[in-house]
Each structure stands twice: as C-alpha cells, then as structure tokens.
Amino acid sequence: MSRIQTLAAGALLTVLALFYSYPMVLEPSRANRFDSPDAMLTAWILSWDLHQLGRDPLRLFDANIFYPDQGTLAYSENLLTAATMVAPIRLFTDNPVLLLNAALIGALLTSGLAAFFLARQVTGSFLSGLLAGILFAFAPY
C-alpha cells in the first residue's frame, strides 16, 4: 500500500479523534467529564504513574492511597501504556485533566490506526482497513 494512503488514513483518523472528543478538544486543560468517579480515578492514576516513575519506579505500586497498605495501585488499572504516551506532555505541565484528555485522544487515534493496519494487512484493501479503523475507534458499543 502506498504511503499516501497511510497518511490519508492517519489524517482522517486524527480529524475524527478530535471531532469525537469535542468540546474537550477546545479546552483540553480544563474540559472533562469529572462527574464520573472513573474519570477522576484515571486522572489520578496517570498523575501518580508519571510522578512515581520519575522518582522511585521500583515503588510504583505503593501508591499514596489506602495508606499504610502497600501495592495499592494493583487494586485498579496501572495505565502504564497511557502514562508513557503522555509522558512528554508531563514535562511541561502536571495538569491531570490535560494528561487524561491527551491519553483519551491518543487512545482513540492509536486504536483506529492499529485496526486500520490490521484490516488492511488481512484484506489487502485500503477501504476495508479504513472502515475497520473508524468502526473500532469510534463506533459505540
């Protein structure tokens, strides 16, 4: 497949990721759905991961919750992949809302791209790959 097709798919999936994350994409450092306890937990986990990885990575799972218990990060997701995705942003800010929003948009984009590449490889069709990427990343359950 051509590089132009791959770039076109990447561009379309990027536009769709930004579109589906509206209005959060307009104010990524402030706008979020913190009416959900899951969103607050995810923002905290991302912040904790990046905080602890830079200071004492061997004690990553000894999170500052449920003290004096140890290994408390294991009570939930560790989100290490998402944390490494947003680590460059953490160099400039420690805003948990911005980190969570960047992780969400990045997850939409990378999920769509992975499905696109897989389907294109299996079918040999650019359009099938594009449809698979769009459906996998953006179709509701």
Side-chain angles (χ1 to χ4, degrees), residues 43-62:
W44 172 79
I45 292 171
L46 284 173
S47 294
W48 170 259
D49 285 349
L50 294 170
H51 166 83
Q52 194 66 1
L53 286 172
R55 286 167 179 76
D56 190 4
L58 295 178
R59 298 192 63 221
L60 174 69
F61 281 86
D62 295 335

Side-chain angles (χ1 to χ4, degrees), residues 1-2 5-6 115-126 128-129:
M1 296 291 154
S2 74
Q5 288 179 333
T6 302
F116 163 74
F117 285 124
L118 176 64
R120 187 179 72 176
Q121 181 69 29
V122 169
T123 65
S125 167
F126 168 76
S128 295

